[in-house]
Structures are given as C-alpha cells and as structure tokens.
Amino acid sequence: MTSHRPSPEALLRAARREGRGRLKILLGAAPGVGKTYEMLREGAELAKAGRDVVIGLVETHGRADTEALVTSLEVLPRRTVAHGPHTLDELDIDALLDRAPEVALVDELAHSNGPGSRHPKRWQDIEELRDAGIDVLTTVNIQHVESLNDVVAGFTQVRVRETVPDAVLDDADIELVDLPPDELIERLKAGKIYIPEEASRALGHFFSKSNLSALRELALRRAAQAVDRQMLDHVRSIGVGGQWAASERIVVAIGDQPGAETLVRTAKRLADALDAPWTALVVETPRSAALPGAARDRVAAALKLAATLGASIATVPATDVTSGLSGYLREARATMLVIGKTSRSWWFELRHRSVVGDLVRDLDGITVHVVPAMAEGPADLSGVASAWPWRATGIAVAMVAVTTALAVLMVPLVGVNSVDLLYLVPVITAATLLGLRPSLVASAVAALAYNFFFLPPLYTFTIADPQNLVTLLVLTGVAIFASQLAGRLKREANIGARAAQENAAIAAFGQRLAATSDEAGTAQAVCDEIGRLLTVQTVLLASHNGQLLAIAASPPDPALGPIDLAAAQWAFDRGEPAGTDTSTLTSSEWQFHPLATALGVLAILGVARDHREPIPGDRRLLFSTLVGQAALAQERIRLEADARELDNLRQRDELRVTLLASIGHDLKTPLTSVVAAAEALAADSPSPIAATLKAQARRLRRVFDDLVEMTRLDSGSVSVKAEATDLVDAIGGAVHDLKAELLHHRLVLDVPPSLPLVEADPRLLHHILINLIGNAAKFAPEGSAITIEGRRTSNGLTLSVLDAGPGLPAGQEAMLFDRFARVEGDDRSGGTGLGLAIVKGFASAMGLSATAANRNDAAGARFTITWPEAAIRRGFAPA
C-alpha cells in the first residue's frame, strides 16, 4: 500500500507564511487596465466587511473615478524626500507600521524609493509590512517582472529599469486585471490614461495593438503559472496521492560574452514553466585569469542576477569549457542545458572550435537550448595591449638570442646540423615558464634566427637548399607543438594547483575551527581565516541581551556606524544578507551574512573591502563554503555549551532526587508518629499549645508530601491510572482530610448532581483538590466562604475553587504555577510554593489544564481544572 503524506517542503513553506501578512498582487498587462481602481474597490469592500483598511500610498493619476474611491478610506500622509531641486512623496513605512492596520493598500509594487529610504525598492517595504503581520494589496504590470524583462524589451523596444523579483510573485495571490487591447486603446484615446499629447505618442509606440496583445498573453501565462504553482503546493501540503513525474534539472552556462543576463532570464522562465530547479554554472579555464575587467564584471553581474532569481551557483575548474560543462552536466544528472551562441569569426572557431557544436554532438540525453546572444563588439585594443605579456615575450626573445650566440660558438665543434636542436631549449623553457604566447613568439624568432645565421646563403632569409627548407619547417612545427604541449600542461597544472589550494584552504579552515572549543576562539578563527583567504576586513557579531555586539574582528576594532549596525540587525532578524552589494540597506560599507543553522541565526559575519565589491564573483562559491563551515562551527559551540549545561542540570537533578528520596524514606515513619502523637495529645488535653502542635504537625506533613510528589513529577515516575470518577465523591474525600483547615470557613458546594463522570486518576485528583482547597483556606479571611463550583461547558467540564482573599496581581496569574513562585504585590505568604506547581504537574499528566484568575463577581481568586470533551465522552488517554 502507498502511504501518502504531506510534502515537508510544502509544509515548511506554509509554516513560513504563518504569522506573515498575505500579499495580493493585481497584475495587469499595461497601464490603464484598472489595477488601482480594482485595488481601491476591493479595499472598500473589505472595510465594509469590518476589516481595518488603510491606504499607505495610491497613485490616481488624476482619474476622477479612482479618486472617488479614495475618499471612502483612511489615507496615511506620505513621507517627503528631497532629491535635488525636486521633492518626492514616498511611502511612510514607519507610520504604517505604527498604525498597524489589518490591510494596507500600497500602489506600484516595482517603484524605486527615493534616496535615504530604508529600502531601495517598494517591494522590500511591502515585505517588511508582511513580516509585521499586515495584509497588503498592491499593483504591478507584467513588464516589471524580472524574468520577463528581456522578452518585453524585445518586442516593445522599451527596457523597463524597475523590476520585481519573481520570488515576490511566487509568494503572493495574483489576480489578473484584464482589458482587451481595443478597449484599452479607446480608453487611451479618451484621455483616461494619459493626457492627449502623451496619449498620441503612446499609441505610436508602446500602446500598439500588437504590443498590447503580446503583453496580455504574457500576463495571462504568468497568472496561470501562479495558479498552477499554488494548486500543486496545496495538493502536496495536504498529502493528496497521485503519480508525479520526476522534475527536470536545468543548468545555464554563464560565460564572459555579452548577453549573459539574457541567458539567466531565459533559464529562469524555463525553470518556472517546468517547475524545475536550476543552476548557474561558470567554467573556470586558464583563459578566465586573463579576462579584462569588463568581462569579469559581466560574469559577476550574471551570477548575482541568477542568485537573486533563485538559482544555485556552481563553479567548475577545467582545461576548456566543453570538458568542464560535460563533466558537470553528467555529475549533476542535468536534463537541460541553456547556453548562448555568439557570432564568432570562422578563424576563431577554427582555432578554438565551437563549444555549442561539440556539446550537441557529445551530450546524450540532455536537451540543449541555444539562445542567440549579442554579437561581439569591436575589439578592445587597449585591453588586448594590456593583456599581452610583453615582459615575458622579451625574456623569451632574449633566451633565443642567448641560444643563437652559444650556437655560433659551438658550430666549429659540432657542425651546423646539430644546431637546430638547440633551439628547442628556449622554446620549451618559454612555454613552461612564461606561457603559450611568449613560446609561440620564441618559436618564430628561433626559426628566423636559424635561417639567418646558419642556413646558406648566410645572413639572409633566403633558403637555397630544399633540404634546409624541410629542416626549417620541421623545426618550426616541433617548436610550436612542444610549446603548445608545454603550455597545456602548465595550464592544467595551474588549474589543479588553484583547486588544490582552495580545497586545502577549506580543509585548514575546518581544522582550525575544530581545534577551538570556545565561542571567542571560534569567532576569531572565522574572522582571521576568511580575512586572510579573501583579503577582506571581517567582523563577527552575536546577540547578547537583545543587542548585536562584535565578538571578533580582523583587523581589530572595526568601524561600524549606525547604518552598518542597522544592516547587521536586519540580517540577524530576517536571516538574509544585507549591506553593500545586496538589496537591503545598500548604503552600508559592510556586507553582512547570517550564520544560519537548524538552531536559527547564531551570529552575523560582516565583510568589507576598501571601495570595492566585498566578494568578487569568482570567489563567491569559496566564500559561501566558508560561511557554511563557520555556521556549523557556531552551531557546534552552542550545542556543546547546551550539552554541558544539560549535563550539569542532570547531575543536580539526580542529586536532588536522591536527597529527597533519602529524606522521604528516613522521615516518613517518624513524621507519621509525630502527627499521630500531636493529634492524640490534642484530643486528650485540649489546650492552645496542643492545638498549635497538631496544626503545625499537619502542615509539616503536607510540606513533606509536596516535596515527595514534586520529586516524582521531576523524575517522571508519575503513573496515571484513569478511571470513571464522581467529582462529588472526590470533593468529599478532600474536604474530609482538610477538616481542621476549613474549621473557620464556610464551604459552599455548587456542583450539580447531574454532572457526568469524568476520567481521572483518583489519587492524583485527590492531591489536586487538597492543594487547591488548602490554598483557598490559607489565604481567605476567617469566616469567609470557599466555593467549589462545577460546570458543564460546550467544550468539556470545569471544576473551580473560589476564595474571598486578596486576589492575584494582574498579568502574573500564570507565574503562580511555577515552583517556589512568589508574585510581587501579593500578600499571600506561607507554604513551600510547591502546591500549585504540583496541581499543574498532576493535571498535565492526566491531560487536563489548570488556570488561575481573579473572580469577576467579588474579591478573591478562582483556580480552575478543565476536562476536555474527550475525557468525558470517549474516555481518557494519558498524555
């Protein structure tokens, strides 16, 4: 039989949404379809239904029908921001958080906030509102969705700069606000969207019927994907059975060519359409080290975009792109590859071959999606000039010159025919030590020198003997082959050395962390090693008494300003990176990363580099690995500290249990004899002294019983033997044992005889009643009434003990059930402070609840034991 169970991932996503406000996005194909109007109309309906609705920000664009809806709702004032000669009106997120409505209406999700705002984007403001438990209604157009940015720009010729990450839409309820293109164009012509001058320009460009139709199709598809994803998530979260096909695994190859970001967005759309995980892969070859700065920036920007869109990042060292891609695809069992194809010259492909062609031919069972990328621009001569190894080339030519001089001296001794082999020495040496290009220059210069100085006619570049021509060609070919072979071996050695160096660094980092056993030492090791490996400033902050404090840094005494500390606190509270080169609090000079584990965020790691990107794109994989190891080290330290504390508590508990057990065994018999003697003495010769002795002996016996019962609770030796119990009989037995304590009080028994039997352990219930009634007798004035009240409720049955004492301090009722509790402002005194703790423990053991509150009808306190409906009708199941 197949056991269907809910998907853990779906349940985790549902759990993360608990406590957060809901986000509803009104999605439109273009401006003017009525998104803002629909948002206001829905807000007005929610307000009529009794919800607390506030307009945080709305843009009516002067439309009368939209402005009419605004008047029916509360509108918060906007926050003004100075931007040069202009003044901007922005959402006042602090005022909205202080107002704390149930629902907030915030227009234009993709809006970029003005300078000085807490977040650069409005969608980040909305995420903070949701974290505060506020539901949000907002609007956005399809062209602002990040993964569709290139597609929209392709047919509208307009690239939108303000975009929203797809993850925001994935976590929202999407409602499509649709309008046919013809109706939208009519609204534009009627001046309901733009003023007439702007409307005429829009009709000739963005608002053409073909553009609107394409935008409408994109909006419909995106809304359908959202509905499908939410449906699947719901089905998986409730464990509905069914056959599910294995998901695709997509890899997008990121290179230094222009248009790398287009590849990332294409892969994101493909992954969304197939509901598949995807990885952005960079293959590091020897050529990668010689890339100009602009090419490295393109790779870093593409990786950053991929990480923002939800991709996994991977870096693979290899001798060439084809072998690196093929090896990773097979190891990762990928099913699809997205790769770009640029327009290369035939000469380039003849020398380097076509990566796309080789992959299509060699890969079996993997679908290759080839995306036409931007054509290569003109050659950057400055970059080429700076990249050419002139110094190494000069050294290679000098080695050939030295070899020529030696050959001239050696000709009289060995002859001309042996000279050609000497030229292999500088060529191979240059290839091994200086690189491929210097060795190729050395090969050409060696061939020319050999012809000029040693082949007749001498001191000319003319070759008279065909045999000499063959010798020269063979020498040149051998030199080129040897230089390429030596260069290839050097490149492979460099790649292997770099990979080995990083692996050794990670291993050494792990060994140093494992060798430290305290929080301060581990934190300093993390800062020192990461700072040394990545050449950055580091700081590690941990929370102490609710405040983030720096516990280690490299170099010491880092300069953290208020903005830096705010970014660190943000990262700690939300478990997301913050600071420079992130999407939150980018004005900070530091970049903060949470050290998140199964125990939560344990610390914050901050990195900084002087006026540069803290972590370059080619080092991010190493950095993420180091951050992961640092988080595990912090978790190990925390768990070790908890284990030591638990061990100490266990030893103290064992000692206490042993001591109380010994006291109980040694004192039980003599205490029983003392109580019996005191009662006999009071009966034979009634006197104040005898009465006091009897009362105090009984009190000592109850203290002793409380200690023994609490020991049983702590040791877990309380066994529950439930049976049908009549509450009237149970109350009668407890009152009989408390005759002396109740002598000066009136007892009011308000327990209807029609109450059903309850499931309870009679012995434990007797202890509960003894403690509750005795507690009431202790603190109620003499002559006052103690009421025992039983009631049948819709959810079960309650039994309450009410006294006429001073009552309980407001807000501290639950503390009375703690062991040895003493509540401030309460004049209740006496006893051990264990009676109510025993009540709570025994009630929990039987599956009951115990509560305390002040009386509503008079002065005094009410203590209540509640039986659930299941303990009355279907029997009692021990907890």
Side-chain angles (χ1 to χ4, degrees), residues 547-752:
Q547 183 179 4
L548 282 181
L549 299 176
I551 58 176
S554 178
D557 301 325
L560 297 177
I563 296 179
D564 302 324
L565 294 175
Q569 189 66 50
W570 177 275
F572 184 83
D573 293 338
R574 288 163 175 78
E576 300 174 359
T580 182
D581 201 35
T582 67
S583 59
T584 302
L585 295 172
T586 55
S587 56
S588 172
E589 296 182 357
W590 289 76
Q591 186 180 99
F592 295 97
H593 294 263
L595 301 186
T597 68
L599 302 178
V601 178
L602 302 182
I604 295 295
L605 175 66
V607 293
R609 193 191 300 261
D610 294 337
H611 307 293
R612 286 183 293 170
E613 181 183 17
I615 307 299
D618 59 344
R619 309 289 280 175
R620 288 182 181 175
L621 187 62
L622 173 62
F623 177 70
S624 64
T625 303
L626 297 176
V627 168
Q629 286 202 0
L632 291 177
Q634 291 290 321
E635 183 181 39
R636 175 180 60 83
I637 295 297
R638 180 69 60 85
L639 292 176
E640 288 178 353
D642 292 344
R644 287 192 295 269
E645 184 177 352
L646 287 175
D647 187 60
N648 292 335
L649 289 175
R650 181 180 55 81
Q651 292 179 3
R652 289 200 297 267
D653 285 344
E654 289 178 353
L655 179 60
R656 178 169 54 84
V657 170
T658 302
L659 178 61
L660 290 177
S662 176
I663 292 175
H665 181 269
D666 294 338
L667 293 184
K668 184 176 181 179
T669 300
L671 187 56
T672 301
S673 300
V674 169
V675 172
E679 291 178 347
L681 181 61
D684 292 341
S685 57
S687 65
I689 297 177
T692 302
L693 179 61
K694 176 183 176 181
Q696 295 304 319
R698 285 178 173 271
R699 180 184 174 190
L700 182 60
R701 177 60 182 265
R702 283 198 299 273
V703 170
F704 173 78
D705 290 341
D706 286 346
L707 289 173
V708 173
E709 296 299 342
M710 184 55 65
T711 303
R712 294 175 58 214
L713 279 172
D714 290 345
S715 63
S717 60
V718 175
S719 59
V720 178
K721 297 179 180 179
E723 60 184 54
T725 303
D726 187 343
L727 290 179
V728 175
D729 293 341
I731 295 170
V735 170
H736 179 271
D737 289 347
L738 293 171
K739 287 187 297 183
E741 287 78 358
L742 297 175
L743 184 61
H744 302 292
H745 296 84
R746 291 184 297 110
L747 184 65
V748 179
L749 187 61
D750 185 11
V751 180

Side-chain angles (χ1 to χ4, degrees), residues 107 113 173 200 225 235 253 259 355 387 411 468 525 594 743 798 801-802 806 810:
D107 210 358
N113 293 328
D173 297 329
S200 60
Q225 290 176 7
V235 168
V355 174
V411 164
N468 292 337
L743 184 61
T798 62
V801 177
L802 297 81

Side-chain angles (χ1 to χ4, degrees), residues 305-378:
L305 176 61
T308 302
L309 295 178
S312 302
I313 307 299
T315 304
V316 176
T319 56
D320 58 83
V321 175
T322 303
S323 62
L325 274 175
S326 301
Y328 182 84
L329 292 171
R330 292 188 176 94
E331 183 179 351
R333 301 180 183 273
T335 60
M336 290 188 180
L337 171 66
V338 179
I339 191 170
K341 173 65 175 175
T342 56
S343 299
R344 304 282 194 179
S345 65
W346 67 271
W347 173 243
F348 182 92
E349 293 196 357
L350 181 63
R351 288 182 296 136
H352 300 282
R353 304 187 65 175
S354 171
V355 174
V356 174
D358 291 345
L359 290 173
V360 171
R361 182 179 59 254
D362 297 340
L363 295 178
D364 295 328
I366 298 178
T367 304
V368 181
H369 293 262
V370 181
V371 179
M374 295 173 59
E376 281 189 308

Side-chain angles (χ1 to χ4, degrees), residues 112 199 415 663 778:
S112 296
I663 292 175
K778 184 188 306 179

Side-chain angles (χ1 to χ4, degrees), residues 99-117:
R99 172 62 176 77
E102 292 183 70
V103 182
L105 309 184
V106 182
D107 210 358
E108 297 185 357
L109 176 66
H111 173 77
S112 296
N113 293 328
S117 300

Side-chain angles (χ1 to χ4, degrees), residues 69-93:
L69 288 175
V70 174
T71 58
S72 63
L73 297 170
E74 178 185 350
V75 182
L76 285 185
R78 302 189 186 188
R79 180 177 59 89
T80 58
V81 177
H83 183 54
H86 305 288
T87 300
L88 306 178
D89 291 333
E90 298 291 353
L91 173 68
D92 193 340
I93 185 173

Side-chain angles (χ1 to χ4, degrees), residues 280-303:
L281 175 66
V282 174
V283 180
E284 292 187 347
T285 63
R287 178 174 171 270
S288 302
L291 289 176
R296 288 197 295 269
D297 291 343
R298 281 197 296 268
V299 174
L303 289 177

